[in-house]
Structure formats: structure tokens, C-alpha cells
Amino acid sequence: MKQLTDDEIYRIAQKRVKEKKEFYNHLSVYIVINLMLISIWAFTGSSYPWFIFPLGGWGIGLIFHFLSVFGFMRDESDWENKEIQKEIGHLKKNL
């Protein structure tokens, strides 16, 4: 296994922080929009809780986003390095 340089470690850490920030932004928008939908439902006096459909559908997407950021202990740097080496091999063979 190849040792990562400080620059590579920084780049991977920077990418992970960006992914976490994007998830928290997604979560914030989900909460605000769904609170607005629930408020609209409550103030209109509708008896059927129609807001559960966007809440549930979007919630499933949010769960997948969460799992992609936090759920799997992935070592993408190792996978990326293997794929890069594979592509270099293909390019050297074909060029």
C-alpha cells in the first residue's frame, strides 16, 4: 500500500469536510422546507396529512446522502490509487 503524502491527506480531508458541509446544508433545507409544508397543512385545516409524501420521499434521499457521507467506512484514497494505477497501465500499453 502506498503511503500518502501530506498534500494527498489534506486533499482527502478537504473533500470529506466539503461532503459533510453539503450534507448539513441539505439537512437544513430539508428541515426548513418541511416545517413550512407542515405549517401550510396545519393552517389550511386540511384533514389529510399530505405533507408526509414529500417529507418521506425527500427523507429517503436524505438518508442515502447521510450514508454516503457518514455511513460507510470507505477508503476511497486506496481505491482511487488502484484505479489510477490501472489507467496508467492501460495508457502505457496503448500509447
Side-chain angles (χ1 to χ4, degrees), residues 26-79:
H26 186 184
L27 178 62
S28 299
V29 171
Y30 173 81
I31 291 170
V32 169
I33 297 296
N34 281 293
L35 283 175
M36 287 188 336
L37 292 176
I38 292 169
S39 298
I40 291 169
W41 169 78
F43 289 123
T44 59
S46 177
S47 62
Y48 186 75
W50 52 264
F51 64 86
I52 62 172
F53 295 109
L55 187 116
W58 192 353
I60 291 170
L62 190 64
I63 289 169
F64 281 111
H65 192 175
F66 174 84
L67 290 174
S68 73
V69 174
F70 298 104
F72 301 109
M73 293 302 293
R74 63 190 193 276
D75 188 9
E76 74 267 350
S77 62
D78 190 40
W79 177 83

Side-chain angles (χ1 to χ4, degrees), residues 83-95:
E83 288 298 312
I84 289 169
Q85 294 304 318
K86 189 189 304 184
E87 288 299 322
I88 289 171
H90 285 124
L91 290 171
K92 284 182 179 179
K93 192 183 298 184
N94 295 328
L95 296 177

